[in-house]
Amino acid sequence: PRVDHLLSLWNEVAGPTKKTLYDFTLDPSSIHHLHTIDPLSLANKFLKRGVKVVLLDVAGHDLARAETYKTLACDIMLEPCGNSGSNSNNNNNNNNDPKFIDVHRKVHPDIMDVISIDPTNKDKANRTSLRLDSGLSEKQLAAIDNELRRCDCNHRHDVLGHENMTVL
């Protein structure tokens, strides 16, 4: 959910100052950081400058239990992957790893421990902790999430379907 991005931003920016989420959102200086949780606006700016943009549907990515490193290497950077060289994100097959992983394994045998973190456990625990720390109810968090999603509608018509936009 988009509210998790807001909570993560609050943790990253205001965490050291111990500001509450309420104080963080009302602080005028927070406006300088909010662009980081507005991906379609940012994508629209790049598209207007002729830059090719790949937008990752994080919710769909998580539901598919896709490996982030494979998506980044194979589908976005178009690195050769798998025995056939296809850019497939089949998570049940280590033969679909990006080809450069084999080179890195020789130097860093623990490379897979570093890049293949199970997001379902670590990230879920972190999100749960941030939700509790926010002091808001799930209903309040859902309302904030709904408003953040509504902001996407301001750019949806400019971004989705653009010739330089790819959504994964």
Side-chain angles (χ1 to χ4, degrees):
R2 296 289 305 282
V3 73
D4 289 334
H5 295 154
L6 176 62
L7 294 175
S8 178
L9 178 67
W10 163 58
N11 182 56
E12 184 71 27
V13 174
T17 66
K18 305 291 187 213
K19 281 185 187 174
T20 65
L21 178 61
Y22 179 82
D23 289 339
F24 172 71
T25 56
L26 292 180
D27 184 340
S29 68
S30 295
I31 194 81
H32 300 294
H33 304 284
L34 294 178
H35 69 279
T36 63
I37 61 168
D38 190 4
L40 291 184
S41 174
L42 187 58
N44 193 27
K45 289 177 183 177
F46 284 120
L47 291 169
K48 285 181 178 179
R49 289 177 174 79
V51 176
K52 290 186 178 185
V53 174
V54 177
L55 188 67
L56 181 61
D57 173 8
V58 176
H61 188 264
D62 288 348
L63 282 174
R65 298 187 53 81
E67 295 277 352
T68 303
Y69 77 97
K70 288 182 185 179
T71 302
L72 290 172
C74 303
D75 298 322
I76 296 175
M77 297 170 59
L78 302 177
E79 290 289 330
C81 296
N83 291 332
S84 64
S86 67
N87 296 318
S88 172
N89 201 0
N90 179 349
N91 295 319
N92 298 323
N93 184 353
N94 285 338
N95 292 333
N96 262 352
D97 280 342
K99 296 289 187 186
F100 66 81
I101 293 292
D102 291 334
V103 174
H104 287 287
R105 278 189 184 114
K106 293 175 184 166
V107 180
H108 303 286
D110 61 342
I111 187 77
M112 296 312 291
D113 294 335
V114 175
I115 64 173
S116 187
I117 299 169
D118 182 4
T120 56
N121 294 328
K122 185 177 179 184
D123 290 349
K124 187 175 182 178
N126 189 42
R127 284 192 299 265
T128 300
S129 174
L130 287 175
R131 284 171 173 261
L132 293 172
D133 292 346
S134 74
L136 300 176
S137 70
E138 283 300 318
K139 186 175 181 179
Q140 290 169 315
L141 290 170
I144 293 171
D145 190 68
N146 188 48
E147 291 305 312
L148 290 171
R149 288 177 188 274
R150 285 184 45 189
C151 291
D152 288 344
C153 295
N154 294 327
H155 302 284
R156 176 173 265 154
H157 62 279
D158 292 328
V159 173
L160 301 179
H162 191 284
E163 65 182 313
N164 284 344
M165 170 62 88
T166 303
V167 179
L168 295 177

